[in-house]
């Protein structure tokens, strides 16, 4: 296990002990142990364990050292397994409701016998929760709203989580004998921020082994369909995956169709009809009149499944395939047959991409390989889980020219925000690290400075002037009305040392809605003041929303695709940000962190000046 995985296990132990009402000192010992581990470098942890010196680290006693050593060596801990078994799963699930911590959940369990979300919702509806000491009407309302949101959100999954499931499946399908083509389709391929389910399109000479492999993958909890042309499975997370098998000559059409979106497909079919053609998942052929046989709705788009087709329709399809089909080699060829330049999957939302593709070649969208670094990242100095050196080493491993460190400011006390003195000490540490030439990756010194409730910044101008750049963000007082929040954010970005605005709305996808803010006014103010609005690439944020970027960038707004990384693995979240940037029609030149280090340094210096 890595140090952060071990820290997660210790945090989980602390949470479970808290749910059981164990001694608060014991709970804090595990929580503190997790933080101590995060502050160590991976190599140092390994050295301490090998030398049997872990107990020499302040905050790690004999019992904790033994458990850390066991997790590090085996990846398992019997104590944790038994602890998990002793706590009702419903109580752990209740932790996902905003505002409910272990102590409140224990009170609900002890005093009302509540052991799952269903019982909690019922107790809220009949007023029993509000009557408990320490709760009240407002808390009860928030709990009910949280449960409702969770139920609504539970039908979708973050793109990043779905992508992590999909990648090995695609690789596995492509490696099977007889498979000639295999791709993921649907909203995953379009890079939508959340995904309902997974769609895989496969062309294979022998379908039986493909279906057998797909339905017996590790992690499959339930097989919901298994046939010659389609199979469906459900994973433990609730994510459903559908496999569709097609002949090789139909692969391009099926891939395009099941990639969607519904609006894009409708417009493409209409365009085909206007040219005397019929486009479907089965192919592109001469239009010979209306035929609605066997239609079903799948994945948000009308499709005709082989199983649903009457014999006459099947015969007609076969006849079309033999006589009238327009052959295409790939998706580029398919668009060309309809008089269009190629439309990348991310743009296929039916909001102007076809008209643009008709007029000429679409702009070259920013790609992951264009990024040379990122600026909104955290270390163990605030609430990050890796040290400065570990973060820089990870950036270097990605081939980045630079990395920006922007730890929290002091107002974010819950995130161990830095005081002025700690911030300036970190700046000195960064300067010394750069001077040492230990890493090829250059480190820019910044901060994520809180925008206070009245629009003032958490650090004074003379402190910000000593940094390379400043990210400003809202982290509290989310309940302000739209006018007040908008004025607050604009007041902040009008300050001369502000370089970029972090996560515009503060949303957490599938967890909470963003606070109310007039995005158009903030965008105009950012442009007027030469302030960047970041595209926060955290899979839970992807904020500013991709739907706003095309118009904003056309007006002159610059962005930076920042992962908001709190650990080394988080740097790779820029991949999710690239999806959102491409969906927002962003080009390389509209993204600051595609520029080389020298140009970035010049940009920052000009802003400070």
């Amino acid at each position: 296990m890595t140090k952060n995985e071990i820290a997660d296990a210790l945090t989980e132990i602390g949470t479970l002990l808290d749910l059981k009402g164990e001694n608060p000192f014991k709970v804090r010992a595990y929580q503190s142990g997790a933080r101590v581990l995060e502050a160590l470098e991976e190599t140092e942890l390994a050295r301490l364990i090998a030398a049997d010196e872990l107990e020499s680290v302040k905050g790690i006693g004999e019992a904790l050292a033994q458990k850390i050593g066991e997790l590090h060596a085996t990846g398992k801990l019997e104590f944790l397994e038994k602890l998990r078994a002793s706590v009702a799963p419903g109580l752990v699930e209740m932790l996902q409701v905003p505002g409910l911590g272990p102590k409140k959940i224990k009170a609900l369990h002890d005093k009302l016998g509540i052991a799952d979300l269903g019982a909690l919702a019922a107790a809220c509806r009949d007023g029993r929760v509000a009557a408990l000491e320490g709760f009240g009407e407002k808390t009860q309302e928030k709990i009910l709203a949280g449960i409702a949101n969770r139920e609504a959100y539970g039908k979708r999954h973050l793109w990043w989580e779905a992508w992590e499931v999909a990648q090995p499946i695609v690789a596995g399908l492509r490696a099977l004998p007889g498979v000639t083509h295999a791709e993921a389709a649907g909203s995953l391929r379009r890079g939508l921020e959340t995904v309902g389910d997974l769609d895989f399109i496969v062309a294979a000479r022998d379908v039986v082994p493909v279906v057998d492999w797909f339905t017996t993958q590790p992690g499959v909890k339930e097989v919901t369909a298994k046939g010659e042309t389609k199979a469906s499975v459900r994973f433990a997370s609730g994510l459903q995956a559908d496999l569709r098998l097609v002949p090789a000559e139909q692969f391009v059409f099926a891939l395009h169709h099941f990639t969607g979106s519904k609006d894009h497909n409708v417009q493409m079919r209409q365009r085909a009809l206007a040219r005397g053609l019929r486009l479907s998942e089965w192919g592109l052929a001469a239009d010979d009149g209306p035929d609605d046989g066997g239609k079903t709705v799948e994945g948000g788009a009308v499709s005709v499944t082989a199983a649903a087709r009457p014999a006459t329709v099947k015969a007609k399809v076969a006849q079309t395939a033999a006589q009238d089909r327009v052959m295409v080699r790939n998706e580029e060829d398919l668009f060309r047959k309809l008089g269009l330049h190629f439309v990348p999957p991310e743009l296929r939302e039916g909001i102007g991409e076809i008209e643009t593709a008709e007029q000429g070649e679409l702009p070259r969208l920013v790609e992951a390989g264009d990024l040379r670094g990122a600026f909104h990242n955290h270390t163990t100095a605030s609430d990050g889980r890796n040290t400065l050196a570990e973060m820089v080493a990870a950036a270097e491993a990605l081939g980045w020219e630079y990395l920006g460190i922007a730890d929290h400011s002091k107002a974010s006390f819950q995130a161990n925000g830095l005081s002025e003195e700690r911030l300036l000490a970190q700046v000195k540490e960064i300067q010394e690290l750069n001077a040492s030439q230990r890493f090829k990756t250059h480190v820019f010194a910044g901060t994520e400075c809180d925008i206070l409730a009245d629009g003032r910044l958490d650090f004074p101008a003379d402190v910000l002037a000593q940094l390379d750049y400043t990210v400003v963000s809202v982290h509290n007082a989310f309940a302000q009305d739209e006018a007040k929040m908008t004025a607050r954010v604009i007041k902040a970005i009008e300050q001369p040392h502000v370089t970029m605005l972090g996560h515009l709305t503060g949303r957490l996808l599938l967890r909470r809605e963003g606070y109310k803010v007039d995005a158009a006014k903030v965008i105009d103010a950012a442009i007027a003041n030469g302030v960047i609005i970041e595209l926060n690439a955290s899979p839970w944020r992807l904020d500013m929303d991709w739907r706003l970027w095309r118009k904003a960038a056309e007006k002159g707004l610059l962005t930076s695709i920042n992962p908001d990384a709190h650990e080394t693995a988080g740097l790779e979240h820029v991949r999710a940000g690239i999806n959102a940037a491409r969906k927002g029609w962003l080009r390389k030149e509209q993204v600051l962190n595609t520029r080389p280090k020298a140009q970035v340094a010049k940009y920052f210096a000009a802003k400070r000046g």
Side-chain angles (χ1 to χ4, degrees), residues 454-472:
D454 60 1
R456 290 181 299 115
L457 300 182
D458 198 21
F459 287 136
D462 63 327
V463 171
L464 298 179
Q466 300 179 60
L467 308 176
D468 291 316
Y469 69 101
T470 298
V471 181
V472 296

Side-chain angles (χ1 to χ4, degrees), residues 252 329-337 340-342:
V252 172
R329 298 184 301 277
N330 48 41
E331 282 188 313
E332 288 82 352
D333 200 16
L334 171 57
F335 281 98
R336 195 178 301 116
K337 298 293 185 186
L340 299 170
H341 288 271
F342 176 69

Side-chain angles (χ1 to χ4, degrees), residues 77-382:
L77 183 62
E78 185 180 359
F79 175 78
L80 176 56
E81 296 300 322
K82 289 181 177 178
L83 188 58
R84 284 171 177 160
S86 71
V87 177
L91 298 182
V92 178
E93 190 178 21
M94 284 161 63
L95 287 168
Q96 299 174 24
V97 177
L100 277 186
K103 288 181 175 56
K104 284 192 173 181
I105 291 172
K106 186 175 188 305
L108 290 166
H109 181 60
D110 291 349
K111 297 178 182 179
L112 297 179
I114 293 172
D116 55 46
L117 286 173
L120 177 59
C124 285
R125 284 192 293 267
D126 62 23
R128 284 180 288 144
V129 170
L132 280 181
E133 182 181 354
F135 286 80
E137 291 286 347
K138 287 187 177 180
T139 299
Q140 182 172 270
E141 289 172 8
K142 288 181 180 179
I143 291 172
L144 270 176
I147 294 172
N149 285 341
R150 188 181 179 281
E151 290 172 351
Y153 294 152
K155 299 174 183 177
R156 300 195 66 81
H157 306 264
L158 294 178
W159 178 89
W160 186 268
E161 294 172 350
W163 182 67
E164 287 186 319
V165 172
Q167 288 301 102
I169 295 176
V170 172
L173 289 168
R174 288 174 178 170
L176 294 175
V179 171
T180 58
H181 302 85
E183 293 285 353
S187 50
L188 181 82
R189 188 172 182 233
R190 298 203 315 278
L192 208 58
E193 58 267 47
T194 62
V195 173
D197 52 29
L198 297 176
D199 292 282
F200 299 96
I201 313 301
V202 173
R205 289 184 289 272
D206 185 3
V207 300
V208 174
V210 179
V211 172
D212 287 343
W213 179 87
F214 183 77
T215 54
T216 57
Q217 299 170 74
V220 169
K221 185 177 181 180
E222 179 185 10
V223 177
T224 56
K226 186 175 181 180
E228 293 182 0
T229 60
K230 181 180 175 181
S232 296
V233 299
R234 191 177 301 279
F235 297 96
S237 65
L239 182 64
Q240 178 171 311
D242 296 329
L243 172 71
R244 290 176 171 83
L245 294 129
V246 298
E249 64 271 16
Q250 292 176 3
F251 179 80
V252 172
F253 303 105
L255 178 62
H256 174 267
H257 176 85
F258 287 106
T259 294
S261 66
K262 178 180 179 180
D263 290 340
H264 172 85
N265 285 354
V266 168
Q267 292 175 28
M268 287 287 282
R269 288 198 296 269
Q270 290 172 342
R271 187 174 182 87
L273 288 171
R275 284 159 176 74
L277 300 169
R278 172 174 289 193
L279 174 64
S280 72
E281 68 198 84
W282 300 94
L284 181 65
D287 180 34
D288 53 1
D291 185 296
D292 295 328
K295 284 191 178 178
T296 61
V297 176
E298 292 185 20
V302 175
S303 68
V304 187
T305 63
R309 289 170 178 261
T312 55
V313 178
K314 291 181 182 178
K316 187 172 183 179
V317 170
Q319 183 181 14
T320 299
Q323 298 177 3
D324 302 320
R325 188 184 303 277
V326 177
M327 301 304 294
V328 300
R329 298 184 301 277
N330 48 41
E331 282 188 313
E332 288 82 352
D333 200 16
L334 171 57
F335 281 98
R336 195 178 301 116
K337 298 293 185 186
L338 295 179
L340 299 170
H341 288 271
F342 176 69
V343 177
E346 297 92 341
L347 299 187
R348 300 178 195 173
E349 298 293 344
I351 50 177
E353 71 275 9
I354 291 177
E355 293 83 350
T356 305
E358 182 179 42
Q359 295 166 8
E361 191 170 351
L362 275 72
R364 179 194 173 279
L365 303 176
V366 64
E367 298 175 356
D370 293 329
L371 297 186
R372 296 171 181 254
F375 306 109
H376 184 169
N377 304 289
H378 300 270
T379 72
T380 50
S382 63

